[in-house]
Amino acid sequence: MAQITLQQFAKYAEAELHGNSEATIERIVFDSRKLLLTDGALFIAVKGANHDGHSYISNLYSRGVRAFLVEKGFDYSGFTEAGFIIVDNSVQALHKVVSQMRKGFHFPVVGITGSNGKTIVKEWAARILDKKLKVGRSPRSYNSQLGVPLSVFMLEDDCDVALIEAGISLPGEMDVLQRIIDPQIGIITNIGQAHQENFQSIQHKLEEKLKLFKNSEYLLFNIDDEVIHKGVQEELPAVKTLTYGSSADASLQILHQSEDASGKIIKVSFKEKEFDLTIPFNDEASVENVLVSVLLAMHLYINVKQVKEAVKALQPVAMRLEQKEGINNCILIDDAYNSDLTSLELALDFLDQLGAKKGLSKTLILSDIYQSGMDSDEWFGQIQRLIELKGIGRFIGIGPELYKAMGGVNAYHATEEFLNSVHINSFRDEAILLKGSRSFSFEHISSFLEQRRHKTILEIDLNALMQNVQTFRSMLTPGVKMLAMVKAFSYGSGSFEIANVLQRQKVDYLGVAFADEGIELREAGINLPIIVMNPELSSFPLMLQYDLEPEIYSFHLLESFLDAAERQGNQNVSVHIKIDSGMNRMGFLPDEMDKLITRLNQTSLLKVSTVFSHLAGSDEDVHDDFTRQQGQVFNDCCAKLKNGLGYNFIRHILNSAGIERFPEMQMEMVRLGIGMYGVSSNNQELKNVATLKSYVSQLKQVKKSETIGYGRKGVAIEDKTIAIVPVGYADGLNRLLSNGVGNLIINHQKAPIIGNICMDMCMADVTNLKVSEGDEVEIFGEENTIEEMAQKLETIPYEILTSISRRVKRVYFLE
Ligand SMILES: *Cc1c(COP(=O)(O)O)cnc(C)c1O
């Protein structure tokens, strides 16, 4: 662990130090809630848009923190035992200090940037380099303006090499990161659409990213990527390049590729040496990530045998805390990320929040941690304090070190011993964090504790959802607001979880269909304005109580709502006026504007916050004239209303397809729905959000001319292998996909559904495919797209998404 005295810190920051100057700094903290260990902590007070770190200082002082970095103007006179470094801007001061610390490193630093794969390349490269070198690296995906300085600060002095990732979302940020990382060796993984909204073009973004390498000696990249290749030649003529790819000029050249059951076999050559790599993944992106890691390893003189061994043993990088339902109302948090104290702190923090939210007691199952630079007494002491501070009720240790430290109480030598000794029903109403180094195979504990009744899940990728929101945001004129539609259980994806992410993404409004959906969100702590699109008359009192704003679409509804507001004594309640501009569904008609104005002007109970209309055919160009006409009708109504009411309101008409296709109609707000769930009407590059998954519960050999399933509809025209998958029409798998209309995807192979789909299961023809019992099955998702499935069923993606039964567990991922 890095150590620096407070005095040295102040000197590097070129700042004054007041008060107690004795402290030694071992850790840096920005977020007071995340602070667990106060010894050796320096709190850096950062002023953000919504909060000011300075306001937490007195609380932190009372908890024992004795070192602070604060901005000028803060009155520290009452905190007599602490040391204060006073600066103009605390983030900039930290950057300065860390750049100075960086200058003292005597090992090479590798900087990794690119649009995707940074963390994976960092982890995989570390795994390969580990064979020979002591590798320091940034934890998880600490790659931001705060994450990078923290990563560099945490590096230990005795590394042989350090891998640091850098991510940017705005022009100018890379210059700052360059000064901190100052990599001798650079890696650019690829360049794509992520964070595109703040850059003029891909080239512009690439130029920014390449700034990280302006003083580097070597840069590693994919020579087959022409944009990057050209960009590097233009921007960094002096940097030596090390490349991989099929081109004969590549330093690590791909000579031949084939595939077998264990993955991809790639024949490569490096400096005239030819060798085969067995890569345990089939997808293109993983292969690229492996190759660039291998190239780095070869450059750093790891021998071929060790490289090959390490590559073969690579595992997917678990970057996310996976949350699953466990037995007896337990929740499992599966954190397979390499265990170290920092990642333990982060995971405990997550456990703490989740336990509190769900009212569950907190349990930690931990394996021995191999963290260098600390003896076992020292790390056990730290773990004990973390456990105490986070109120962990039950702590189970696995591994010889923990067994010794815990005197054998609640401790086991190995995972297997634990599984053989505990009874599953001893776990109940607990939030359980599983945190194990890879060698302890905690996945066995996870499957032991997991709820197993029904293994079909709908997996929701919250990161993908956020990226889709960003993609749509980038289509908006600055200042245009965004309402996110979370009606119908967020198009089937879950309500609170989605709304929570949207709230953090700072959307302006949420839209739900019925009042009870809105109440559920309020009770879960969502405080964004919420519009209820179909308010029922009976729900008005509750809506007022929960601060839910109604769509008002008729005079009848208006009168009832006025009654309710009057009875509850509310004033100035926000309402949203719906205009029917041609869809012939709900809404006031254009010729009702005068009457509406008159009525609204008679009351001070309501305030019109927004006025909106809905498009009938925004996704199809045959209707484009009609769409524009709807826009015109709507505009005329709004003009009349504004004139009659005498005040301004927000106007909105565009849904997802409208945002993609009619930028000129954005007005003051847009309403994003299906687009954020990953469905585009315009071939926008959106991320897949929802994946319906199951598994092969049984394989069966069926002889020629036998039949499969109900009604004997599936006929084996030859000897066949059939996979049985526990997902049926009661889960939302439409029965019209029976008899070969639909496919399942198993290990990236298409398996046609054979016979009729049953209530709780279906059968697929896997003859001659590579499939084993227990294999994962994708019903829809990245490979079997919702759009394709909708086409086969002659319906729309909306129906597919919202038809997934509530009995299918939703499992959320967030990096
Ligand atoms: C559902 C809905 C939307 C969102 O539509 P998408 O096509 O999913 O983007 C927008 N406005 C209203 C009134 C809606 O009911």
Side-chain angles (χ1 to χ4, degrees):
M1 200 167 289
Q3 280 200 358
I4 176 171
T5 64
L6 192 58
Q7 283 177 340
Q8 189 66 41
F9 203 102
K11 199 171 136 207
Y12 283 163
E14 297 167 8
E16 287 172 43
L17 172 60
H18 295 268
N20 179 354
S21 60
E22 291 309 300
T24 301
I25 309 304
E26 286 174 7
R27 71 189 86 243
I28 289 176
V29 186
F30 296 99
D31 182 342
S32 62
R33 291 163 308 178
K34 296 243 161 88
L35 178 74
L36 300 174
L37 305 174
T38 54
D39 286 7
L42 169 72
F43 179 75
I44 299 190
V46 176
K47 283 191 184 138
N50 302 317
H51 90 298
D52 180 354
H54 295 85
S55 58
Y56 301 106
I57 289 177
S58 116
N59 170 279
L60 290 164
Y61 183 80
S62 66
R63 283 158 63 188
V65 179
R66 289 294 174 265
F68 297 91
L69 180 91
V70 297
E71 295 187 355
K72 282 200 177 120
F74 179 76
D75 176 13
Y76 51 86
S77 55
F79 309 105
T80 46
E81 286 172 31
F84 283 83
I85 298 174
I86 319 287
V87 298
D88 289 321
N89 175 308
S90 29
V91 175
Q92 282 170 15
L94 172 66
H95 289 167
K96 238 187 228 173
V97 172
V98 176
S99 316
Q100 288 299 326
M101 291 176 74
R102 160 72 186 93
K103 288 189 183 133
F105 294 163
H106 47 264
F107 47 83
V109 174
V110 180
I112 305 172
T113 194
S115 298
N116 295 303
K118 296 184 282 293
T119 305
I120 294 172
V121 168
K122 181 193 69 191
E123 295 296 323
W124 283 350
R127 237 356 76 82
I128 304 172
L129 298 177
D130 257 347
K131 290 270 173 192
K132 194 171 114 187
L133 305 174
K134 179 166 178 197
V135 184
R137 65 189 201 278
S138 24
R140 286 187 184 270
S141 33
Y142 269 38
N143 62 28
S144 65
Q145 299 282 300
L146 288 181
V148 168
L150 282 189
S151 303
V152 172
F153 180 86
M154 283 190 274
L155 289 175
E156 298 181 34
D157 297 333
D158 61 343
C159 300
D160 296 316
V161 60
L163 310 176
I164 301 290
E165 55 173 293
I168 55 168
S169 47
L170 292 171
E173 290 184 339
M174 199 53 104
D175 289 318
V176 176
L177 299 185
Q178 191 279 329
R179 285 194 289 276
I180 300 171
I181 305 174
D182 192 17
Q184 282 97 332
I185 302 173
I187 293 179
I188 178 146
T189 56
N190 54 36
I191 191 91
Q193 294 295 337
H195 298 297
Q196 187 62 43
E197 67 276 14
N198 298 316
F199 298 91
Q200 292 140 17
S201 62
I202 297 259
Q203 278 73 17
H204 177 213
K205 190 163 60 171
L206 177 64
E207 266 170 46
E208 283 292 322
K209 292 199 187 247
L210 291 177
K211 285 184 180 163
L212 178 60
F213 310 119
K214 67 177 185 201
N215 296 330
S216 300
E217 190 178 354
Y218 289 99
L219 179 62
L220 282 62
F221 62 92
N222 179 354
I223 197 167
D224 301 334
D225 185 323
E226 281 167 25
V227 176
I228 293 187
H229 192 187
K230 192 153 156 281
V232 171
Q233 283 173 335
E234 281 168 14
E235 302 295 321
L236 300 167
V239 176
K240 292 181 227 164
T241 61
L242 284 167
T243 56
Y244 69 92
S246 319
S247 155
D249 296 331
S251 328
L252 181 73
Q253 192 194 347
I254 303 174
L255 299 175
H256 180 256
Q257 305 199 29
S258 59
E259 245 176 78
D260 76 3
S262 51
K264 280 224 155 123
I265 302 177
I266 302 202
K267 190 183 201 55
V268 291
S269 84
F270 181 82
K271 294 199 176 148
E272 254 110 85
K273 225 182 293 170
E274 290 186 8
F275 54 96
D276 282 339
L277 291 167
T278 305
I279 300 182
F281 305 94
N282 282 312
D283 62 293
E284 188 80 14
S286 294
V287 170
E288 289 188 11
N289 293 336
V290 171
L291 288 176
V292 75
S293 307
V294 168
L295 179 57
L296 177 67
M298 299 303 293
H299 178 62
L300 295 175
Y301 302 105
I302 311 293
N303 75 43
V304 171
K305 183 161 164 283
Q306 288 177 323
V307 169
K308 288 176 63 162
E309 267 172 25
V311 167
K312 206 167 169 178
L314 286 177
Q315 305 231 9
V317 177
M319 285 190 294
R320 34 206 197 177
L321 296 170
E322 200 177 327
Q323 191 181 320
K324 300 175 190 159
E325 255 172 69
I327 36 89
N328 302 328
N329 192 36
C330 291
I331 294 181
L332 304 180
I333 304 165
D334 210 344
D335 185 5
Y337 188 82
N338 216 22
S339 274
D340 56 50
L341 271 179
T342 316
S343 70
L344 178 62
E345 276 193 51
L346 294 171
L348 280 176
D349 195 60
F350 187 79
L351 174 68
D352 192 28
Q353 287 173 21
L354 189 80
K357 200 168 80 201
K358 307 265 180 181
L360 300 172
S361 64
K362 290 165 275 182
T363 298
L364 168 66
I365 305 182
L366 180 73
S367 79
D368 282 356
I369 292 179
Y370 298 112
Q371 170 136 331
S372 46
M374 215 189 285
D375 67 36
S376 55
D377 285 347
E378 191 179 339
W379 73 249
F380 186 65
Q382 302 235 26
I383 287 165
Q384 274 182 315
R385 272 189 296 160
L386 285 171
I387 286 169
E388 204 172 300
L389 282 159
K390 281 293 163 191
I392 303 299
R394 182 176 185 185
F395 171 42
I396 294 168
I398 297 181
E401 296 280 346
L402 280 168
Y403 187 88
K404 204 167 80 200
M406 296 165 73
V409 180
N410 283 329
Y412 304 86
H413 289 97
T415 302
E416 197 165 42
E417 184 186 319
F418 165 77
L419 290 173
N420 290 334
S421 330
V422 294
H423 195 275
I424 191 161
N425 282 331
S426 70
F427 293 91
R428 190 170 292 279
D429 303 323
E430 290 163 63
I432 306 171
L433 172 63
L434 297 175
K435 184 97 178 106
S437 300
R438 211 169 290 278
S439 59
F440 284 90
S441 303
F442 268 25
E443 62 274 13
H444 296 309
I445 305 183
S446 170
S447 61
F448 174 68
L449 293 174
E450 207 179 329
Q451 181 77 274
R452 245 162 308 187
R453 276 197 317 263
H454 190 68
K455 251 180 119 179
T456 299
I457 60 164
L458 186 68
E459 188 179 284
I460 305 295
D461 183 342
L462 295 174
N463 290 90
L465 182 101
M466 290 196 277
Q467 284 190 30
N468 292 339
V469 170
Q470 291 288 4
T471 301
F472 277 88
R473 197 168 259 160
S474 71
M475 298 176 210
L476 301 183
T477 310
V480 173
K481 292 184 191 300
M482 185 181 272
L483 178 154
M485 274 294 175
V486 294
K487 61 188 177 194
F489 196 45
S490 293
Y491 290 51
S493 302
S495 55
F496 163 72
E497 294 81 359
I498 306 281
N500 198 27
V501 163
L502 292 168
Q503 181 159 295
R504 271 195 284 156
Q505 287 287 295
K506 304 216 176 340
V507 305
D508 302 280
Y509 280 87
L510 294 177
V512 296
F514 298 100
D516 54 354
E517 298 175 75
I519 292 171
E520 203 180 313
L521 294 182
R522 283 282 181 258
E523 298 211 309
I526 301 295
N527 50 31
L528 285 174
I530 297 177
I531 305 183
V532 178
M533 299 290 164
N534 288 311
E536 314 92 311
L537 304 184
S538 58
S539 66
F540 285 160
L542 276 175
M543 286 182 54
L544 288 162
Q545 184 184 329
Y546 281 91
D547 204 7
L548 303 172
E549 306 172 9
E551 162 183 328
I552 300 287
Y553 55 80
S554 70
F555 286 107
H556 178 57
L557 196 69
L558 176 59
E559 294 306 332
S560 312
F561 192 68
L562 280 168
D563 273 355
E566 181 148 31
R567 223 170 299 133
Q568 299 216 352
N570 292 65
Q571 285 280 333
N572 244 352
V573 182
S574 282
V575 298
H576 305 271
I577 300 293
K578 176 73 164 290
I579 308 278
D580 182 355
S581 59
M583 173 118 163
N584 285 323
R585 213 171 58 174
M586 296 181 302
F588 290 98
L589 291 166
D591 62 12
E592 293 175 321
M593 288 305 111
D594 291 333
K595 188 173 163 203
L596 179 62
I597 292 164
T598 309
R599 186 65 189 100
L600 286 170
N601 281 337
Q602 287 163 352
T603 174
S604 63
L605 295 174
L606 305 187
K607 183 185 82 205
V608 175
S609 289
T610 85
V611 175
F612 71 111
S613 188
H614 198 39
L615 295 171
S618 62
D619 56 340
E620 288 178 298
D621 35 6
V622 289
H623 304 304
D624 284 359
D625 287 341
F626 183 76
T627 299
R628 291 198 187 88
Q629 188 190 322
Q630 275 195 283
Q632 192 53 50
V633 169
F634 177 60
N635 255 330
D636 293 347
C637 290
C638 287
K640 259 194 183 157
L641 277 174
K642 185 183 160 192
N643 208 11
L645 295 174
Y647 60 85
N648 259 328
F649 42 75
I650 291 172
R651 300 166 302 158
H652 45 117
I653 192 166
L654 295 182
N655 64 344
S656 304
I659 302 172
E660 292 178 53
R661 302 188 59 248
F662 297 93
E664 71 281 9
M665 286 162 70
Q666 293 174 1
M667 305 184 188
E668 289 79 44
M669 183 154 84
V670 298
R671 300 187 303 273
L672 179 60
I674 193 104
M676 73 179 142
Y677 306 101
V679 177
S680 165
S681 61
N682 205 16
N683 300 319
Q684 273 295 328
E685 261 191 54
L686 297 176
K687 299 270 181 193
N688 182 64
V689 171
T691 306
L692 183 62
K693 275 185 178 174
S694 190
Y695 69 106
V696 176
S697 52
Q698 195 182 13
L699 284 178
K700 188 148 278 180
Q701 303 305 327
V702 173
K703 287 253 155 24
K704 182 172 170 174
S705 81
E706 290 184 356
T707 65
I708 295 129
Y710 283 123
R712 306 190 60 202
K713 279 284 189 279
V715 181
I717 46 170
E718 60 199 357
D719 287 0
K720 281 198 179 295
T721 311
I722 302 298
I724 298 151
V725 180
V727 57
Y729 57 78
D731 297 293
L733 181 63
N734 195 311
R735 199 164 166 279
L736 296 174
L737 292 167
S738 298
N739 300 310
V741 178
N743 297 304
L744 306 180
I745 302 283
I746 311 178
N747 300 329
H748 309 288
Q749 311 157 96
K750 264 191 190 172
I753 294 177
I754 187 164
N756 278 327
I757 294 173
C758 316
M759 189 185 289
D760 304 309
M761 62 192 95
C762 66
M763 285 71 82
D765 182 355
V766 296
T767 313
N768 298 327
L769 301 185
K770 268 181 282 169
V771 174
S772 321
E773 290 184 357
D775 282 356
E776 191 173 284
V777 175
E778 176 187 302
I779 295 113
F780 64 68
E782 188 89 45
E783 295 180 66
N784 226 10
T785 63
I786 297 170
E787 285 97 328
E788 245 175 275
M789 195 181 243
Q791 229 162 28
K792 286 181 182 160
L793 289 168
E794 293 180 45
T795 181
I796 48 177
Y798 300 71
E799 189 183 352
I800 307 274
L801 278 171
T802 53
S803 299
I804 302 308
S805 137
R806 289 291 278 258
R807 83 173 186 188
V808 175
K809 252 180 292 170
R810 271 67 176 169
V811 177
Y812 300 91
F813 278 140
L814 182 60
E815 267 175 30

